[in-house]
Amino acid sequence: MILSQFVNRLKVGGTTLAVRAETPSVISWPRRFAPFLTRSGGDIDVTVLRETGPRPGALLFESGGVWRAYEQPDGRLLLTFRVGRTIYKSALLDAGITRGEVFFPRPGGSATGPRSALQFPLDEMLFQQRWARDGLIEVHSCAVRDRAGVLLFAGHSGAGKSTMAKMWNHFEPHRTILSDDRVLLDPVRPGSVRASGTPWHGMGRFASTASGDLRAVFFLEQARISEAIRLHPAEVAARLF
């Protein structure tokens, strides 16, 4: 039971994550996240416990990396994070992705581990689980806001998202770079999609709390010449997916 709680809140788009713990260092974010911190709200409310998490239930997803997702017998979602075979933290979330616990046991003996329970990718994954429930989507992309709306430049790693952001910043410094790696898309009303910056930036380190209505989508590919080729809406949907 936590008798004295510190609370840290991060707001991305219209979603706020509130995290509680006994000590502030356990729930700290990098300094570059400062523009996204907020003092109120809690669409997702989780508590950090310095103890071992529950035994995993049925495997839902294997990332091939450090994390896995499980469905627990009571219907809750369990996310685990491993180094080798050792689970060093886990997150247990209710079906609505509104409340949960993060289990972050203290390292044993002389072993050292991450100071913050929110170390990437857990911080982003908590938002992603809630966004999936609410019908929002996060895409790997660079986004630039001009007077007419937001231009989205999507692409896989190495396609040129950060390079595109740097070019816009250099040649059009009065435009706002929402992000150079991850952008949140929210279909707020029929015929309109809201694009918002996120704190999880790329090599260019562009991350803004700004947002705007999506005006156009481009898919980046490396080529010897620069040109824009119009795509059929079905191909756009497939590429975004």
Side-chain angles (χ1 to χ4, degrees), residues 12-13 35-36 143 145 176-180 182 196-199 201 205-211:
V12 184
F36 294 86
R145 188 181 69 182
T176 301
I177 311 297
L178 301 187
S179 175
D180 66 334
R182 289 167 166 84
S196 302
T198 76
H201 57 71
R205 302 179 73 85
F206 291 96
S208 170
T209 60
S211 62

Side-chain angles (χ1 to χ4, degrees), residues 29-89:
W29 275 287
R31 290 183 179 179
R32 63 183 183 273
F33 280 31
F36 294 86
L37 298 182
T38 185
R39 294 181 178 274
S40 62
D43 302 290
I44 316 165
D45 198 311
V46 300
T47 300
V48 176
L49 305 174
R50 302 309 301 267
E51 58 189 62
T52 302
R55 179 186 294 273
L59 180 65
L60 289 175
F61 185 77
E62 166 64 75
S63 71
V66 300
W67 69 273
R68 297 175 180 175
Y70 298 87
E71 183 180 15
Q72 297 302 95
D74 60 2
R76 288 188 289 178
L77 175 69
L78 179 70
L79 305 173
T80 65
F81 300 82
R82 301 170 180 261
V83 174
R85 296 184 178 181
T86 303
I87 297 177
Y88 67 92
K89 70 178 175 184

Side-chain angles (χ1 to χ4, degrees), residues 5 7 9 12 17 27 35 40 58 61 73 80 92 115 119 123-124 169 191 205 210 218 222:
Q5 287 189 337
V7 184
R9 292 180 173 89
V12 184
L17 168 64
I27 54 174
S40 62
F61 185 77
T80 65
L92 185 63
R115 292 183 59 194
Q119 185 186 42
D123 55 352
E124 184 182 24
N169 189 57
R205 302 179 73 85
F218 299 86
Q222 298 280 354

Side-chain angles (χ1 to χ4, degrees), residues 1-5 20-22 47-51 106:
M1 180 178 180
I2 296 180
L3 301 178
S4 177
Q5 287 189 337
R20 308 171 189 277
E22 289 181 301
T47 300
V48 176
L49 305 174
R50 302 309 301 267
E51 58 189 62
R106 294 177 174 86

